[in-house]
Amino acid sequence: MRALRTSWLTREPMISVYSYSIRTGLLPVAAPVSLPVETAEALHPTLWRASQVGRPRAAVFASGFSALDEALPGGGWPAGALTELLLPHPGVGELRLLAPVLVRLQREQHECCLMWFDPPALPSAWALQALGLVAQQMVVVRSQAEAALSLARAGASRVDATRADASRADARVGRVGPRSLSASSARSSLSSLWALEHALKSGHVGAVLAWLPARLPADALRRLQLAAQGHEGPAFLLRGEEAARQSSPAPLRLQLAAAAPDWLRVHVFKRRGPPLPQPLLLELAPVLGQPARLRARTGVRIAQESASLESRGQGALQGSQGQPQGSWA
């Protein structure tokens, strides 16, 4: 039996095929017949199969690393979406990883600037120049530094006002302690999130880099993802690696770790598509001289050898402890 019906959305004919098995005294049982299924992208551009890498909604920017571009949906860093980089500590090579796309944006979009929110340290002008970045086209927002400075000024004024009475001064200094510090850091985090959200909505920023804490309010990342959907450039959030255990609305999440001097291990553990079977090893632009590189490699080799010797010693000690006393084995 073949039924012809019309879709009320597209007004195009749709064919439904059924196979009936008729028996005496029984109702017919409909069994669907397998037909060629349309691709998920043909139904909607935001759909993809679990075995395939999804297509990005907006433009992408080449990362400058061919192995990484092959793993990223669309072949590069996505625009209009958040990208999370999770680090064990700052300085593993995250800026050298992002330098190619940042340099390209500065060259192609002269009117747009790069915005950095709460970097762990003040950027070095000569290091940025070595990577090809122009410091004059960058804006650095440091809400944490301003909060720490205002807190220090508030504590100094309280101590000066109560210097006549030592006990009262100690009490007041004690109140400018962990509670005030946590409240100040919370306010600075909220102000940084507010500034980041409005920067993404402004449309005048080429790329955004934001160093955020591992713990954030429940709706903070959702608001940032909604704001990033109207942003025409990449938006990178750099957080601690402990954030990998938390859910995130960011469609792309990478975990970074130093593999060797000038080498970076990249684990793409969330993307629109199947997970990668193993991390990627990317060679970064060298920043150390030849003597410093040799010293760094020697230090890594010595550390690996010492760790191997230590593990062997512990294994031998455990083996001797497991043997009965008086044994000559």
Side-chain angles (χ1 to χ4, degrees), residues 141-192:
V141 180
R142 292 182 60 85
S143 61
Q144 295 178 357
E146 294 297 331
L149 182 60
S150 62
L151 180 63
R153 290 174 178 174
S157 62
R158 289 188 180 185
V159 172
D160 293 338
T162 58
R163 184 173 296 176
D165 190 351
S167 60
R168 293 178 59 190
D170 292 339
R172 294 199 178 190
V173 171
R175 279 200 290 269
V176 187
R179 182 175 301 177
S180 299
L181 183 60
S182 61
S184 177
S185 61
R187 287 194 299 270
S188 64
S189 178
L190 291 177
S191 62
S192 178

Side-chain angles (χ1 to χ4, degrees), residues 62-88:
S63 66
F65 302 90
S66 58
L68 181 59
D69 289 339
E70 293 177 0
L72 298 179
W77 300 117
L82 295 179
T83 299
E84 279 193 275
L85 305 179
L86 307 184
L87 320 172

Side-chain angles (χ1 to χ4, degrees), residues 188-198 212 216-217 220-221 224:
S188 64
S189 178
L190 291 177
S191 62
S192 178
L193 292 173
W194 180 89
L196 176 58
E197 181 181 356
H198 283 74
L212 300 179
L216 292 172
L221 291 177
L224 293 178

Side-chain angles (χ1 to χ4, degrees), residues 238-254:
L238 295 91
R239 307 172 64 192
E241 62 181 1
E242 58 271 18
R245 297 187 295 267
Q246 306 171 7
S247 61
S248 172
L252 182 60
R253 306 184 76 189
L254 289 75

Side-chain angles (χ1 to χ4, degrees), residues 122-139:
L122 288 176
S124 174
W126 68 267
L128 296 177
Q129 185 178 3
L131 294 176
L133 295 172
V134 181
Q136 288 77 8
Q137 293 180 333
M138 293 175 51
V139 176

